[in-house]
Amino acid sequence: MGPALLSLAGIALGAGGSLFGQYLVSRASTRQLEVQESAAHRAELKDAVLKFVRIALQVEKVAPTRSDAGGTTAELGRLVDDVWLAQVEYMEAAYGDMWPGRRRADGDLITPR
């Protein structure tokens, strides 16, 4: 009877160890996924900021030269439109990063990325 109980205890201990090991691996995988998602979100936010700054700098360079030289306003208008569109993307990314899960004034729910 003693050897049977010892082997049963060994089986239970082995199964418990396996389950605990799987739990630890699952927890580490979840944390790694969260870190990867956070890094992807930061990269997306960085891209939106850099795009906005790049377009704003183009407008800043083109606006005085076009108005002084009597140049076409089509290019300037396109650049201003690009600035506005980039600003919307930037604000969406920034708002979602600063206040995840909160509703904006226009009613859109911002979810964490």
Side-chain angles (χ1 to χ4, degrees):
M1 177 103 163
L5 286 177
L6 284 177
S7 64
L8 185 59
I11 291 171
L13 186 60
S18 291
L19 290 175
F20 184 68
Q22 288 177 352
Y23 166 74
L24 290 178
V25 168
S26 173
R27 197 171 88 179
S29 296
T30 301
R31 179 66 184 139
Q32 184 178 11
L33 180 63
E34 289 172 355
V35 168
Q36 289 173 348
E37 288 176 350
S38 177
H41 175 68
R42 284 192 308 272
E44 182 181 338
L45 182 59
K46 177 184 170 186
D47 289 344
V49 169
L50 291 177
K51 179 181 177 184
F52 176 75
V53 170
R54 185 180 68 247
I55 293 171
L57 287 174
Q58 288 176 348
V59 169
E60 184 180 25
K61 289 178 184 177
V62 170
T65 59
R66 292 295 180 197
S67 62
D68 292 344
T72 63
T73 58
E75 182 182 5
L76 183 59
R78 181 188 56 79
L79 287 172
V80 170
D81 289 343
D82 288 348
V83 166
W84 280 106
L85 292 174
Q87 187 234 5
V88 169
E89 293 173 18
Y90 167 74
M91 291 306 293
E92 288 294 322
Y95 195 94
D97 193 46
M98 291 187 288
W99 299 287
R102 290 187 57 194
R103 292 193 180 274
R104 291 189 39 181
D106 57 10
D108 290 341
L109 179 65
I110 303 300
T111 56
R113 296 172 189 202

